[in-house]
Amino acid sequence: MRHFLSLKDFTKGELLEMITLAQKIKLQTKQRKFVPYMEHQTLGMIFEKSSTRTRVSFETGIYQLGGVGLFLSSNDIQLGRGEPMKDTARVISRMVDMVMIRTFEHTKIEEFAQHSQVPVVNGLTDSYHPVQLMTDYLTILECGIENPIVAYVGDGNNIVHSWLMLAAKLGFDLRIATPKGYECDAAIVAESLEIAKESGATITISNDPKEAVVGANVVTTDTWVSMGQEEEKEVRLKAFDGYIVDKNLMGLAQENAIFLHCLPAYREYEVSEEVFEAHADEIFLEAENRLHAQKGIMVWLDQHRDDTIENENS
Ligand code: CP
Ligand code: NVA
């Protein structure tokens, strides 16, 4: 049985299999063909943070696959009153077929997975947002970009950590620019550089947005104030001065460069209204693709749930 906690746990081939499945299921969905790949299965969805896209896409996705989603807000389940993660895992995973979790420390989802009898999918932690990055890759392919040169300008957060893992696994060019003091986690950078040696990915990290964006064909960013950092807002807004993706910065990228944003976006902070609206088609295709990419991931995990048993018996 495999959990989907970080992209680093999968080979390039496995990640591409999930993307291929997502493309196939997206096509079927567009033809209004709802193939019951996960008939009668229940997806438990534990949320310790807010969400629009993750909730709607997972709940709709499992329904369209023939199953049902259970929205479990930590405010409403005993987890929020102090029931341990490992007990929550041991109870819920005896009743449902797959679990998606959005939480704070990455160690919490690892603890849940360790005690779970069913596959666990990361719906965002403080360290990673892997389902978002699978979506972004699907969107890049749909935009006709075969050799991505990605520039990420902004906070060294969960989103860019998953960009690091995606680039390292798939072997593309990633340039990151973060302000001083808001760099990526050093251990995650080191791990991705190690993985990149195998794939041939070129990863460059600086404090210079222009250096990152020159010649890129994908430009992306994320909020400067992630969930859980609300108290740091004033300090952060000052530190990120000069990191907005505006027309001038976007002008340094390739002429047909796309702009992606995982959303929610804060206009005139990390991105100008002008750039956002000029690239709205790409951004909202990316948002829709959460539904399709996650179906590919869920079906792949479902199809591989007996892996360990097969391996043990072979
Ligand atoms: N991008 C994303 O994960 O959005 P939500 O926080 O709305 O789920
Ligand atoms: N970095 C953001 C992503 C939101 C989808 C956060 O963690 O709040």
Side-chain angles (χ1 to χ4, degrees):
M1 188 179 73
R2 305 283 293 277
H3 301 295
F4 194 84
L5 306 190
S6 166
L7 302 175
K8 70 182 168 190
D9 301 330
F10 297 90
T11 63
K12 175 177 179 174
E14 289 172 336
L15 295 174
L16 295 180
E17 277 173 25
M18 294 176 206
I19 294 285
T20 304
L21 256 176
Q23 289 167 324
K24 179 176 150 188
I25 300 171
K26 177 171 181 176
L27 195 67
Q28 291 169 336
T29 306
K30 292 287 174 191
Q31 295 164 343
R32 310 301 290 167
K33 263 182 17 204
F34 297 102
V35 182
Y37 291 93
M38 294 179 70
E39 195 172 16
H40 301 314
Q41 294 202 31
T42 303
L43 175 72
M45 308 187 301
I46 301 175
F47 283 90
E48 293 207 276
K49 292 175 175 173
S50 308
S51 168
T52 298
R53 281 143 287 269
T54 305
R55 177 180 177 182
V56 176
S57 54
F58 269 107
E59 196 163 332
T60 305
I62 189 70
Y63 174 71
Q64 292 181 348
L65 292 171
V68 67
L70 287 185
F71 174 65
L72 304 165
S73 159
S74 59
N75 294 332
D76 302 324
I77 61 173
Q78 300 288 7
L79 181 67
R81 297 184 66 246
E83 183 164 19
M85 207 50 146
K86 61 181 178 183
D87 291 358
T88 308
R90 285 183 284 188
V91 172
I92 292 179
S93 73
R94 280 173 179 256
M95 300 180 189
V96 305
D97 303 283
M98 198 172 283
V99 175
M100 183 244 91
I101 307 181
R102 167 167 286 196
T103 187
F104 291 86
E105 297 86 358
H106 194 71
T107 48
K108 287 174 91 175
I109 198 170
E110 286 176 337
E111 187 186 3
F112 190 103
Q114 201 187 333
H115 293 93
S116 173
Q117 296 187 6
V118 298
V120 177
V121 181
N122 182 353
L124 181 145
T125 63
D126 290 345
S127 302
Y128 296 111
H129 198 1
V131 292
Q132 178 69 55
L133 269 293
M134 292 293 278
T135 302
D136 291 2
Y137 188 65
L138 176 63
T139 310
I140 287 171
L141 293 179
E142 287 185 359
C143 289
I145 297 172
E146 278 169 25
N147 295 305
I149 304 170
V150 179
Y152 174 94
V153 176
D155 188 23
N157 64 12
N158 43 12
I159 291 289
V160 71
H161 291 157
S162 284
W163 271 112
L164 277 166
M165 288 303 168
L166 186 76
K169 284 286 174 182
L170 300 190
F172 61 78
D173 195 347
L174 174 66
R175 299 97 162 271
I176 297 171
T178 55
K180 286 202 169 63
Y182 294 91
E183 284 92 356
C184 301
D185 181 284
I188 294 175
V189 171
E191 209 174 350
S192 63
L193 291 176
E194 203 49 45
I195 298 168
K197 282 183 193 161
E198 272 178 47
S199 68
T202 312
I203 296 173
T204 51
I205 300 181
S206 77
N207 302 115
D208 184 349
K210 290 183 184 151
E211 188 186 313
V213 173
V214 170
N217 53 19
V218 180
V219 179
T220 185
T221 183
D222 184 24
T223 180
W224 295 342
V225 187
S226 283
M227 290 179 278
Q229 298 173 336
E230 290 76 8
E231 285 177 8
E232 299 171 32
K233 185 173 175 185
E234 287 310 309
V235 182
R236 284 181 161 266
L237 295 190
K238 284 198 187 97
F240 283 80
D241 189 28
Y243 279 75
I244 185 170
V245 179
D246 58 13
K247 199 177 156 194
N248 289 340
L249 192 63
M250 212 46 212
L252 301 175
Q254 289 184 25
E255 203 185 326
N256 295 325
I258 62 168
F259 174 79
L260 297 179
H261 194 308
C262 65
L263 304 177
Y266 299 88
R267 270 103 152 163
E268 305 308 330
Y269 290 99
E270 75 271 12
V271 59
S272 69
E273 169 80 14
E274 194 179 14
V275 167
F276 187 93
E277 290 303 335
H279 293 274
D281 286 352
E282 296 136 31
I283 296 167
F284 292 104
L285 172 65
E286 177 189 11
E288 178 194 325
N289 277 339
R290 289 292 302 274
L291 173 67
H292 309 298
Q294 290 161 192
K295 282 197 216 167
I297 294 165
M298 287 193 285
V299 171
W300 191 94
L301 290 173
D302 185 45
Q303 290 175 348
H304 290 76
R305 64 171 76 229
D306 296 329
D307 275 5
T308 322
I309 297 164
E310 270 171 27
N311 292 342
E312 279 168 2
N313 291 344
S314 64

